[in-house]
Amino acid sequence: MNKILICLILCTFPALLFSQKDYFQQVVNYKIDVTLDDSSHTLAGEISMEYTNKAPETLEQIYVHLWANAYKNRNTAFAKQSLESGSTRFYFSEPKDLGNFSNLNFTVNEEGVGFEYDPQHPDIGIIQLNEPLAPGGKITIHTPFILKIPASFSRLGHVGESYQMTQWFPKPAVYDRQGWHAMPYLDMGEFYSEFGDFEVRITLPANYVVAATGEVQEAAEKAFLEEKIKATNLLMGGEFPAVDTFPASSSEMKTITFLAEEVHDFAWFADKRFHVQKSSVTLNSGREVDSWAFFTNTEAELWKKGTFYVDRSLEFYSQHVGEYPYPQATAVQSALSAGGGMEYPMITVIGLSGNAQALDEVITHEVGHNWFYGILAFDEREHPWMDEGLNSYYDHRYTRQYYEQPLPLLPKVMVRGSDVSTYEIAYLFQARRNIDQPPATSSADFSPVNYYLSAYEKPARIFRMLEVYLGTAEFDRLMKGFYEKWKFKHPMPEDLRSYLEDNSQRNLDWLFDGLIGSAGKIDYALTGIRQDGTLQLTVRNKGDLKTPFSISGMKGKEIIETRWYEGFPGEKVVDFPVGDYDRMVLDAKQEILDVNRQNNNIRTSGIFKTVEPLRLKFATGIEHAQRTSLYWSPLLAYNAYDDVMVGLTLYNSLIPARKFEFALAPLYAFDSGDLTGMGHVRYNIFPKSSKIQRLTIGLSAKSFNYNYIERDDYHLKYRRLVPSLSLQFGQKPGSSVQHTLDARAILLDEELARRDTDGVYLGNEFDNSLIFDLRYTLENRRALNPFKLQLGLEQQSYTNLSGDQHYLKAWLDWQSAYTYNTGRAIDFRIFVGAFLDNSRRNAGATSSRQLARGSWSLVAEGFTDYRYDGLYFGRNEGTGIWSQQINQEQGGLKTAFGSSFGIGESNSFIVSLNMKADLPQDLPLQLPIKPYFDIGYFDNAQPIASDATFTDQLMWSGGLMLDFVDETFAIYFPLINSDNVKTLYNGRDSGNYLARITWTLNLNQLDPWRFVDRLEF
């Protein structure tokens, strides 16, 4: 055994040496000389890179980032990610708006070298060295280049003659202990680069104002900026001009030189319209740092305090993290298509903000990146939480210091009355459905929603939790020490962890393995209380993680005493000092990400031991941690048989998701005098499984009158009860594909008239039926050519005048779109429905629902909706506007024939094709007019006429439609029709065109739960 152990150690020893080798980082110094041609939007010049190999091994090749090539075609990683995130703007861009490098000719030490592109990524190049670069060796890499500057699709680009020059030059990838970090450019996913010094010379028309990383060297350019500052100061006391057009470019050219030391990137922004402000701030060491603001007339009123926000940010971060080491910091208002702001060493670009606090918070966040992205140069692509999360922690701290509250993520009407922060609501929205992702996920593997939550907000909350757990002074001591040790280096997660654990003498498994390394949930519950010398509080850990937590004794809203406890699994009794409390609250300040705060409260006495009694609240809102709310709002409804109905809706909150959800809408109908309405309850189970995302057990009910017989003055009512089971299968986070399996049983009571043999009305009785429905749905909501496939089965057994009957039917519903431009598509729908078994297959088409139940129909009207799935204003109207209401179900034709015809129905099968198209150009007033065309065939075993032919059962129609929100509401104007449709129209409306116009109002589409469910897969 000992020999085997020795052999294993010897075999693994080389790997252990490699994994534990000393820290090193490469050095790259740059000299760049370029000229801007603003007529062709090109940048031409050359770059020299002095590359020093500090690694302990020899390099035979150098990977180079050519990130501007990300805009070269539709096949780059950036282009693909843009489509995956739902944007087709780049995909449909014109060739003139694309960008790329050309004229590259790499040399090393003035000798030609082999160069090739990465086979998968045109924005990654590989330089094959003629001679291997030994440890400690140094080479000079040189190339000319021409950059065709793209339109503003992400970070690099131009809008007219406004230039955002970022990721604009060839740059060696990082080589560190983990090897090469060659990565394609991504919009959602940032950067990792080597430190060095930059000398950058930019030649361009003389009236351009340029803001950049580094410091200007020419006295003439400094004087030019001083004149701009004076001109801006003259406008500061009044209003800036409303117009913001580009002046003509100067015929004279100028060259500006910028120097920057110990930075890993260089960005510059050029615009002839820039106003300029300058200030300075003196740090604790006595060093003075210049601050700049460059902005256009757009939001100029907000930017009057631009340098003030930069100054305050510099002071704040220098005080809490470590002193700012660079000579200047600049904020620029310019075009940006990748978020609200973007950081680069010494400079940040800011998009539109909307208000002063938002501008301050964005500037602070982006300036703060100088410490985490800039100085502590984390690998943002693989570990975005280190940069975005830590920086978000500090910008949240800044907001708490200078503002009463952060800007809300949700409308105030929703969060009114809630004590849960809007950031936490966003987290709970994902976490309760188990579709959140660990912060330790790499940028490319995040879904867009989770990128924001898990890279920014969750780690910000995690480090806030660490702050209150350790104490602010201790937390600041640790972070300042980490900054001093690792500034101008590339610390990894393990470096941060080891530093914090070693210097705090704390085990932080719960933080790094739990909160950051997993998607585990915190859920502590206070389940019992008794007094025995001290308060004995029973705490149950119902979650996955053993994080620290606090308990507070409260009197009203005042916290009297707070104690922190180490985490544990299972259940435990903890001691708390006796005091004058009326309730005990776990995590009273909401400093841990507990997924269910309503079990965090317990009263010290009284009947209600947990939360406050139920409260009734108007409209909608977000759940409250210490009470349960029931929301209500008045409701007004109408149909042709109940007439006006009044009532109210009662429901619990929509966001964040709950296991138990309900919505009830009882109504009183004035005409019929009946109690009508609808409602549903559902219980959601979110398994911790990659196979199943959600299991929903539901029950819905609905009851209205569906007809009125004027001759005998009676109403006919239906009652429907639907138990259901829905299974949503899991998929990769961020995937646009979703699989769902739905099963339901429809228990239907339809009121029918009883008559004697002479037809005398004797009253009403209910006919009962039971329909079983199973359907599978595959949906891909990708931005380009989305589609949806639904396969269904339906079965029913029933009894009619002819005896016992039954059927089994199946259908296929295929919906797809050909996306031919951004926001423009041609939509197709193919529907095939057939009876696999039908005891009434040969009954023929009939207007009587009792003789042939479940028959197919080319037109979905109220009277064909035998399952009562839809909401119709006049289900059985033969004439008038209510008879012209249709729906996009079954055959989907836009005609309406009325309940007396029985045309277009089949007890055998139907097949149809529906098409509609966006127009290539927008119309005046943004009218949503689209052409449409439908064609369908219905098979009828018993023809309507003895001479019926194929064409009698083939129907088509086309015209123009007003389409509001994907046919949630639409109006259809027929223009061309098949002969049989014309015949039916003429027989029905005698040439009255208005009677041929149909419309749809799909109220089911407006179900708020349906909307919330689709917010994020």
Side-chain angles (χ1 to χ4, degrees), residues 301-571:
E301 291 300 314
L302 301 180
W303 278 82
K304 287 181 177 180
K305 295 185 69 175
T307 53
F308 170 77
Y309 298 143
V310 176
D311 286 344
R312 193 161 68 177
S313 303
L314 291 170
E315 291 176 328
F316 179 85
Y317 278 85
S318 293
Q319 176 185 349
H320 295 292
V321 185
E323 184 165 291
Y324 184 74
Y326 298 125
Q328 64 95 358
T330 300
V332 181
Q333 180 265 308
S334 190
L336 179 66
S337 301
M342 187 63 207
E343 73 281 357
Y344 304 95
M346 301 187 221
I347 192 166
T348 176
V349 58
I350 310 294
L352 298 180
S353 301
N355 62 70
Q357 182 178 340
L359 177 61
D360 185 8
E361 290 183 357
V362 175
I363 287 178
T364 297
H365 179 87
E366 304 305 337
V367 169
H369 272 300
N370 277 284
W371 278 260
F372 302 104
Y373 149 82
I375 303 162
L376 296 170
F378 301 126
D379 180 353
E380 297 180 287
R381 183 65 62 87
E382 285 300 312
H383 312 292
W385 69 268
M386 296 188 75
D387 170 53
E388 301 294 356
L390 279 168
N391 189 38
S392 294
Y393 158 79
Y394 281 101
D395 79 50
H396 290 4
R397 189 168 167 179
Y398 173 95
T399 298
R400 289 196 302 271
Q401 181 168 327
Y402 293 109
Y403 293 96
E404 292 183 4
Q405 59 184 9
L407 293 170
L409 294 175
L410 298 170
K412 289 184 179 180
V413 67
M414 291 193 69
V415 299
R416 177 178 53 84
S418 174
D419 61 348
V420 182
S421 75
T422 58
Y423 293 111
E424 185 168 319
I425 291 164
Y427 164 71
L428 293 177
F429 182 72
Q430 297 290 89
R432 286 189 180 173
R433 299 185 293 169
N434 287 324
I435 56 175
D436 56 326
Q437 293 174 265
T441 304
S442 67
S443 295
D445 291 331
F446 272 124
S447 72
V449 170
N450 285 335
Y451 181 70
Y452 168 72
L453 291 175
S454 293
Y456 289 73
E457 290 306 323
K458 185 177 180 180
R461 294 292 300 267
I462 291 169
F463 282 96
R464 169 63 174 167
M465 178 180 173
L466 183 63
E467 177 203 342
V468 295
Y469 169 67
L470 296 174
T472 301
E474 174 67 0
F475 179 86
D476 285 347
R477 181 187 73 83
L478 292 170
M479 291 307 298
K480 288 177 182 178
F482 177 76
Y483 172 80
E484 287 299 324
K485 178 178 179 179
W486 284 98
K487 62 183 178 181
F488 305 119
K489 297 179 182 178
H490 295 301
M492 292 294 173
E494 56 270 23
D495 299 315
L496 176 61
R497 177 177 186 165
S498 63
Y499 185 90
L500 293 178
E501 288 186 333
D502 292 347
N503 288 276
S504 68
Q505 298 299 302
R506 306 260 189 160
N507 184 320
L508 298 179
D509 288 352
W510 58 268
L511 190 153
F512 288 98
D513 295 334
L515 290 170
I516 290 176
S518 78
K521 311 300 187 293
I522 302 173
D523 185 11
Y524 285 107
L526 278 175
T527 60
I529 182 171
R530 65 187 180 89
Q531 184 170 336
D532 184 10
T534 62
L535 285 180
Q536 305 287 301
L537 300 173
T538 303
V539 181
R540 180 179 301 164
N541 187 347
K542 302 172 70 175
D544 312 306
L545 306 178
K546 298 178 291 184
T547 63
F549 62 91
S550 67
I551 297 177
S552 298
M554 301 191 67
K555 185 74 172 179
K557 295 183 178 181
E558 182 183 359
I559 296 176
I560 306 299
E561 178 80 22
T562 297
R563 291 288 173 93
W564 275 88
Y565 302 89
E566 297 295 333
F568 56 83
E571 188 172 275

Side-chain angles (χ1 to χ4, degrees), residues 405-406 410 412-426 428 432 461 554 556-557 559 583-601 610-612 615 617 620-629 631 653 655-656 658:
Q405 59 184 9
L410 298 170
K412 289 184 179 180
V413 67
M414 291 193 69
V415 299
R416 177 178 53 84
S418 174
D419 61 348
V420 182
S421 75
T422 58
Y423 293 111
E424 185 168 319
I425 291 164
L428 293 177
R432 286 189 180 173
R461 294 292 300 267
M554 301 191 67
K557 295 183 178 181
I559 296 176
R583 59 195 169 98
M584 310 301 296
V585 180
L586 192 150
D587 190 30
K589 291 186 178 181
Q590 299 182 6
E591 292 161 331
I592 68 175
L593 287 169
D594 198 307
V595 294
N596 181 16
R597 296 195 180 281
Q598 291 192 330
N599 59 19
N600 290 8
N601 305 265
T610 53
V611 297
E612 297 179 14
R615 289 196 179 187
K617 294 181 69 65
T620 189
I622 303 298
E623 69 180 47
H624 195 286
Q626 298 173 35
R627 61 172 177 261
T628 300
S629 297
Y631 298 96
S653 62
I655 301 176
R658 294 186 175 193

